[in-house]
Amino acid sequence: MKKGLVEKVVILTIAIGIILETVILSNSASNTVYQYLFLLPLLHGIIMFLFFTKSRLMLKYPAQKIIYILYFLRNVVTPLLLMKNKYNLGIIITSKSDVNFSIFLMIYETFMVFLTLSQSKKIRISMKKRKKKNYFIDRKIIKQKTFNYLLATLTLFTLMLWLVVPELRKSYGSLFDLTNLIQVANNVVKDDLVTSSRIMVTIGGMLLTFCRIFVSLWLLYKIRIHSDNAKVGILAALIISLIQMCFIGAQLMFAFYILLFVLFTTIKLWPNSKKFMFTFFGTIIFIALIFVMFIKGGFNSLDDFSRSLGGYLQAYLPGITNVAGTVHIERIDLFKTIFSDIYTMIPFRNTIFGLQVVNLSDMFNQYNHVAGQIMPLIGESYHYFGVLFAPILPVLFVKGAIWANKRMITAKHIFSFGTYTMFMLYFSSMIICKNLILFGSTFTSILLPMIIMCKLVDDEYYFENLVKH
């Protein structure tokens, strides 16, 4: 009860502080198209105030905490920082009405997301019921002991591809090498490769991602079988994390997904490590985020970095400018656009079908005369469903994140736990950082292979075996 009271007091204090601080923002943007941008943090603070009595329900699971923090960063922190770089952003918006409409859209989305977060109920499933209850990832389709052989075969095949396909090796660099960090994965463009090399790089990338997740789960589980000492688990987690940081691809955010994945898995296997793991890994992840942005931006001083931080947050947590950039994208042929979006999610599509399509993300970049900018989920949802139903995709992502988090708690074995963990991380972060197209691509290339492999898991990896040891 005391903990819940502290949470409410902190949230209430922050909400009041936000409302007061928006006066600064309202003065700084008076001569720009972002004149009313102060309403975004102001109304976010009011929404926090309205929902502060539900804070325990809204912040019960890690997925909810991630979503809550990301919306705070996008709606409050980023607008307050944008005035430092005088609203010099990647996408140039000239229409004040587009910005104002985007503010409304983002606040409408935030309210519906908070409402969804506040409706979550605590899951209570006894061990007896857990044994009887089968979720789709836990259900086995083959009872023979094929899992170990298949995992070993896939790992060896991945190592072989790593050795014989130089383009695959060039696609990854170490986070500890500053040169690689600045240019990581920029020297390999799949479309420039011949068909056979492109296929090998795609297969190698998918297998490497799969193996680094499942082999990590296998190692941590095997170590836990032999030792329940939390110090052993912490040491194993640190070593695995360091190794993982040596294979960073174009998607730098995947490094943080892996760190969080190792964090949750270690806590699951060694519950006594929870306090240290959250403190240590939380600090490391925070420092790494700042360090990566500083190095990637090529800044020479902290002052330059602080002035540009708002722009960086706007790029990685696409907010007001990116949402405004979706407002007037023409709805010429929605079915054709939907087909293009779905087609983009399919691995090996160019090799198999050879079709050239323009999906909604491409249209977004073309319309705004930019390249590589992220179309936000709320903008994508607005394009397809209109104003009234614009929050439908963000709400579904929230429900997906909470669903995955609950399934993590009731997972039967270590590999389904790991799969649900990745679902939770992607749902809860992509609601702000990405969009449905990118989530779909992630599902077909990463999550779907994990689901299929979970169908083959042997009884030896069930959590109930840990009790016997």
Side-chain angles (χ1 to χ4, degrees), residues 142-156 210-211 214-215 217-219 221-222 414-415 453-462:
I142 298 178
K143 300 206 175 189
Q144 290 86 352
K145 292 197 170 185
T146 59
F147 179 82
N148 286 337
Y149 299 111
L150 186 55
L151 182 60
T153 302
L154 290 174
T155 303
L156 290 173
F210 168 80
C211 287
F214 264 52
V215 172
L217 289 169
W218 184 87
L219 284 170
Y221 185 84
K222 289 295 183 180
I414 187 64
F415 295 102
M453 196 66 172
C454 280
K455 307 295 187 182
L456 309 175
V457 174
D458 301 326
D459 294 347
E460 65 177 294
Y461 297 105
Y462 278 48

Side-chain angles (χ1 to χ4, degrees), residues 307-325:
R307 281 200 301 269
S308 302
L309 184 57
Y312 261 83
L313 287 177
Q314 167 68 32
Y316 287 102
L317 308 175
I320 187 65
T321 302
N322 296 59
V323 176

Side-chain angles (χ1 to χ4, degrees), residues 42-58:
L42 173 65
L43 294 173
H44 184 96
I46 293 172
I47 291 173
M48 286 178 65
F49 178 79
L50 292 174
F51 283 95
F52 90 96
T53 57
K54 298 278 189 179
S55 58
R56 293 201 74 184
L57 284 173
M58 295 175 67

Side-chain angles (χ1 to χ4, degrees), residues 132-181:
K132 293 180 180 178
K133 202 170 184 76
N134 266 319
Y135 297 108
F136 80 100
I137 290 180
D138 286 309
R139 290 198 188 103
K140 291 197 294 184
I141 58 173
I142 298 178
K143 300 206 175 189
Q144 290 86 352
K145 292 197 170 185
T146 59
F147 179 82
N148 286 337
Y149 299 111
L150 186 55
L151 182 60
T153 302
L154 290 174
T155 303
L156 290 173
F157 184 65
T158 304
L159 288 172
M160 183 194 74
L161 288 177
W162 181 265
L163 294 173
V164 302
V165 183
E167 293 85 1
L168 178 61
R169 295 195 300 274
K170 290 178 183 177
S171 299
Y172 294 86
S174 171
L175 196 64
F176 307 108
D177 187 329
L178 297 186
T179 304
N180 284 335
L181 182 59

